[in-house]
Structures are given as structure tokens and as C-alpha cells.
Amino acid sequence: LVERPEVQVLAAFSEGLRDPDAFIRVSARAAELAKPFLLLKGGRSESGLAAAMSHTASVSGADEVLDAICMQYGVLRADSMEQALDWLSLFQTGRRLRGDRIALLTGSGGAGVLMADASDQMGFVVEPTPQKDRDIIESLIPIFGSAVNPVDVPAQAITPGVDNYQTIWETLIASDGFATVPVGSGLRGLQAVGVCTQIRGAIVRIREPVGTP
């Protein structure tokens, strides 16, 4: 499958690796061809390992070793079927990040801290917003918000309408400083629906000329 040109994303579920050498060969080749490879593997815990051995009579092996192999060859390990399917949907678009610098857009300072922690763990770089973009954002949010990265847009900035939020998002997505803009709004109800509708429209309108996921 890895050699077929129509296959652009690879995914596998395994309870135990019977042939580690074959897994390494496929992983290395997928990396060479820039094809994302997702792995969902059972038997990570002691209970899961016992279940895998009783089910397939195969030994799962040291999970730490598999982690090291996946890290070396860029194989993504999903923690659940839902996560694996989400990643597959994302990679099937064919869109890839142009770098590791990201802007975090949130409606809560605490949520921004958690997003920054998660970003760091995944190897992303959260650097300050470029000054020209920061000036635009600061003109649209209260003084207790933040245009520095993470960008904290309090609900008060959206209460009059969601246009401000859309402008802020478009400013970040069009910025030269960031490869992508994860959003954790923290909004609820009709306000959240309004923001999602505006951002969805903006994505459709500017996706192709900007090219930023």
C-alpha cells in the first residue's frame, strides 16, 4: 500500500507486532514518501497486553520501544479510534503545515495556558504575535484581553457581534508568522454558533489564497 500513488495516508490497528522489521520498513518508506502513517495499537496497558495475548497469542512487546520507533520515523500513535478517524479526516485533505509556529486563539486565559502546554508537548512553537498583527487585534479587544500569543479574546469583545472575532481570526490566519491557528473559544449557546458560522465562511473565502490550515 505504501508504494501505491493513490494511497496518500496510511493507518493500521494492531494488537501485537509479529514482524517489527516489516513495521520499521513501512514506517521508513512512508516517511521517505511524506505519507502520514497512523497507528492505533492495543495492549499498551498491562490489562490490554493480557487481553491481546489471550486473543491473538502474540506478544505486544515493550511499549516504550514502539514509541521510540514511531518517534524516529514520524508514525503518529492514536489513543483512540475517534482520534485516529479525526487524524485521517485531516490528513486526507492533503493540506500540510508550512512550519511549527502556531497562534492560539481562545476566549479564556486559562484555556490559553492549557493550549500552550499541549502545543509545547506536541513540538509546536508558540511565539509572540507579530507587532503589526498585534496592533490590529488590540484595537478590537478590551484592555484585559491579550493580543500576545495565546490571543485571548474575552466575551465582551464579541458581545456586540461576532465580526470582531472573525477579523481577529483572519488577521492571525493571514499572518506571516504562523503556520496554523487552533481555536478554543470557550463560548456557549448562540454566541458560539455565530462565531463558528463566521469562521466557517471565512475559511471558505480565504482558504485557497492563504493556504494556511
Side-chain angles (χ1 to χ4, degrees):
L1 288 176
V2 71
E3 299 293 346
R4 296 175 64 171
E6 68 271 22
V7 175
Q8 295 301 311
V9 184
L10 299 165
F13 171 78
S14 174
E15 294 180 2
L17 297 178
R18 295 179 181 273
D19 190 347
D21 290 337
F23 177 76
I24 292 174
R25 287 196 301 272
V26 172
S27 300
R29 186 56 176 157
E32 290 176 1
L33 298 175
K35 295 184 178 184
F37 185 7
L38 281 62
L39 173 66
L40 178 59
K41 182 180 176 297
R44 302 187 71 166
S45 66
E46 291 185 7
S47 299
L49 174 59
M53 292 179 67
S54 65
H55 181 212
T56 64
S58 65
V59 178
S60 293
D63 203 60
E64 295 81 3
V65 174
L66 181 59
D67 268 337
I69 295 173
C70 290
M71 184 172 296
Q72 179 177 352
Y73 295 103
V75 178
L76 298 173
R77 293 196 66 178
D79 293 322
S80 66
M81 182 64 73
E82 290 77 11
Q83 186 179 56
L85 292 175
D86 286 343
W87 286 353
L88 284 171
S89 297
L90 176 64
F91 284 121
Q92 282 180 332
T93 67
R95 298 168 65 79
R96 302 290 184 266
L97 297 184
R98 298 173 297 179
D100 57 4
R101 299 177 64 210
I102 63 174
L104 304 176
L105 179 57
T106 177
S108 163
V113 172
L114 294 176
M115 292 172 70
D117 285 342
S119 300
D120 184 73
Q121 292 174 1
M122 291 185 285
F124 290 110
V125 178
V126 182
E127 294 184 346
T129 307
Q131 189 60 53
K132 63 181 179 64
D133 301 319
R134 193 183 308 180
D135 292 340
I136 296 173
I137 296 170
E138 287 178 343
S139 70
L140 299 171
I141 62 176
I143 192 171
F144 50 84
S146 175
V148 184
N149 200 9
V151 176
D152 181 6
V153 182
Q156 288 84 345
I158 311 171
T159 299
V162 297
D163 290 347
N164 283 356
Y165 202 94
Q166 178 181 344
T167 301
I168 292 168
W169 183 84
E170 290 186 357
T171 298
L172 292 172
I173 207 74
S175 173
D176 293 333
F178 303 117
T180 189
V181 184
V183 177
S185 71
L187 299 174
R188 297 292 184 273
L190 294 177
Q191 200 173 51
V193 173
V195 166
C196 290
T197 300
Q198 289 281 13
I199 289 180
R200 182 178 61 186
I203 290 173
V204 173
R205 187 173 67 257
I206 73 174
R207 170 187 286 178
E208 295 308 323
V210 174
T212 302

